[in-house]
Amino acid sequence: MRLRRALAALALVGALGGCVAESVWAPDVAVSSAAYRPAGGPTVTLMTMISNTSGAGGHSALIIDGAQRLVFDPAGSWHHPMIPERNDVLFGMGEPFMGFYLDYHARETYHVVMQEIDVTPEVAAALSQAVQSYGAVPQAQCSLSISRVLSRTPGFELIGTSMFPARTMARFGRLPGVRESRIYDDDSDDNLELLQAQARAAQSAATAQEIAAGN
């Protein structure tokens, strides 16, 4: 039994090591023009997508609200033509885009657990720098990359590292002062259709704003 487990672990490490993520790098002008800073003090929010049937974690992402909002969405599948991305870091995630993101993930098979905690400006800055320098994340390493970044940051050391989103969520939830909420939706699992609808909606709104400004 121990030998089989060891071989399985080595196979997993080998498979992950062979995965090379594709680098994405939005231009400076797109990133700077999209910068968004929400009201309120600096916070960090761990988002975990949990199966409504098994309770297993399907994906992890991290919101860092500091000098600006960054969403670290390692190996994530959500994208939008109006949101610039640099290696799994999304910029400009105000409304309606944050709503789009959550609507994409909360559906008939998954709900989203939001765990928010207040941090100092220094911690927010350190995390912002860490996710931007992490690099593109291979598939199946969302929780690993987030837990690595967090565990190297003052105040989050006890989280440790884990490949499993639900385990990272449980450890994050034990931090003092965490505020937790859950988002449910009964949308279909057809995410491709939803992405296309979101892109059309945002583009139509932007066009209407341009026309109004021109008048």
Side-chain angles (χ1 to χ4, degrees), residues 47 49 59-63 70-79 85-90 93 101 104-105 131 137 142 145-146:
M47 297 180 286
M49 295 46 166
H59 185 55
S60 299
L62 196 68
I63 305 173
L70 302 181
V71 175
F72 185 38
D73 190 30
S77 58
W78 185 87
H79 57 86
E85 176 185 349
R86 284 185 170 178
N87 288 342
D88 298 307
V89 177
L90 307 176
M93 290 290 285
Y101 181 90
Y104 175 82
H105 287 287
V131 298
V137 179
C142 56
S145 58
I146 287 174

Side-chain angles (χ1 to χ4, degrees), residues 22-175:
E22 181 181 357
S23 179
V24 177
W25 197 259
D28 290 347
V29 63
V31 169
S32 60
S33 62
Y36 167 77
R37 187 184 187 283
T43 60
V44 172
T45 304
L46 177 66
M47 297 180 286
T48 310
M49 295 46 166
I50 298 293
S51 169
N52 290 332
T53 54
S54 69
H59 185 55
S60 299
L62 196 68
I63 305 173
I64 305 165
D65 282 339
Q68 66 171 311
R69 171 174 289 171
L70 302 181
V71 175
F72 185 38
D73 190 30
S77 58
W78 185 87
H79 57 86
H80 195 283
M82 297 176 69
I83 291 297
E85 176 185 349
R86 284 185 170 178
N87 288 342
D88 298 307
V89 177
L90 307 176
F91 299 81
M93 290 290 285
E95 292 299 335
F97 301 107
M98 199 69 237
F100 286 167
Y101 181 90
L102 294 172
D103 189 39
Y104 175 82
H105 287 287
R107 52 192 192 270
E108 61 183 355
T109 51
Y110 283 88
H111 68 275
V112 182
V113 179
M114 307 282 288
Q115 295 171 302
E116 181 185 63
I117 188 169
D118 296 326
V119 296
T120 65
E122 292 76 18
V123 167
L127 280 171
S128 296
Q129 178 59 41
V131 298
Q132 290 183 81
S133 61
Y134 193 91
V137 179
Q139 292 295 318
Q141 295 192 31
C142 56
S143 177
L144 179 62
S145 58
I146 287 174
S147 59
R148 278 176 175 169
V149 167
L150 287 172
S151 64
R152 296 168 183 168
T153 304
F156 296 92
E157 297 93 342
L158 295 181
I159 287 179
T161 58
S162 175
M163 290 287 299
F164 304 103
R167 184 173 298 171
T168 299
M169 179 187 76
R171 293 172 178 174
F172 194 97
R174 290 196 287 267
L175 296 173

Side-chain angles (χ1 to χ4, degrees), residues 144-211:
L144 179 62
S145 58
I146 287 174
S147 59
R148 278 176 175 169
V149 167
L150 287 172
S151 64
R152 296 168 183 168
T153 304
F156 296 92
E157 297 93 342
L158 295 181
I159 287 179
T161 58
S162 175
M163 290 287 299
F164 304 103
R167 184 173 298 171
T168 299
M169 179 187 76
R171 293 172 178 174
F172 194 97
R174 290 196 287 267
L175 296 173
V178 170
R179 300 178 292 275
E180 181 174 305
S181 60
R182 295 176 182 248
I183 300 173
Y184 292 86
D185 204 331
D186 57 1
D187 285 348
S188 165
D189 267 350
D190 189 353
N191 282 349
L192 176 59
E193 181 179 334
L194 180 60
L195 281 177
Q196 294 171 341
Q198 290 179 354
R200 290 193 299 269
Q203 188 59 56
S204 297
T207 301
Q209 290 177 353
E210 290 177 2
I211 292 173

